[in-house]
Amino acid sequence: MFGRITEPSLKALADNVSPERRFAVGAAHGDLGSENIFTRGPSRKLEDFLVIDWEAYDSRAPELTDQVGLWLGQRHRSFKSMRKPSRAALAHAFLEDFKAKSGGIEAALLALTYLAYNGIDLAQSLIGDTGELKQTHDPA
C-alpha cells in the first residue's frame, strides 16, 4: 500500500498499517510549495494570496496531501542543505508533527507516499525512494 519506503521508522509504521484501513480523501493542489504561492503586500486575507501551477491538482487525494506538502516545503533548506539533518531526524520530526492531525500519522504517511509517487522530490527523499516508484506506475 505504501510503495517503496526504505526509511526505517517510516517503513516500520507502513508495515503495521492494516490493509483494511480506510483513509479520507479530498481535493488537493498536490504541489503546494513556496514557489507556487504568492502574496500581495501584507497577507492578511485570503484574497491576498495567489496559488499557481494546478497541474498536480487531484479531487481525490489523501486528506493531508497539501499539509504534508507544506511541511516538506518549510524544510526545503534542511533537505537541500550541505549540513542537512539526517533522514532519520527528519522522519522523526515528520511523525511527531503529524501524530495529532486528523487521520493520524498513518494518513500523513499515505499523503507523503502519494506525493513521492507523484514526483515530489522532497517526499521521495524523506521516504528513501530511489526514483523507481514513479517508473513502476501503470495509470491504466
Side-chain angles (χ1 to χ4, degrees), residues 37-40 42-51:
I37 303 172
F38 296 90
T39 62
R40 289 179 260 197
S43 47
R44 298 182 186 152
K45 300 178 289 190
L46 187 59
E47 297 82 27
D48 295 331
F49 292 90
L50 174 66
V51 178

Side-chain angles (χ1 to χ4, degrees), residues 80-95:
K80 302 290 183 174
S81 166
M82 294 301 283
R83 290 182 253 164
K84 62 185 171 186
S86 71
R87 182 180 299 140
L90 285 166
H92 176 76
F94 176 82
L95 294 172

Side-chain angles (χ1 to χ4, degrees), residues 9-10 13 71 90-100 105:
S9 61
L10 298 178
L13 175 62
W71 186 93
L90 285 166
H92 176 76
F94 176 82
L95 294 172
E96 283 297 309
D97 289 348
F98 282 95
K99 69 181 177 187
I105 55 177

Side-chain angles (χ1 to χ4, degrees), residues 103-118:
I105 55 177
E106 293 173 342
L109 183 61
L110 178 62
L112 179 66
T113 306
Y114 171 86
L115 289 168
Y117 177 81
N118 283 305

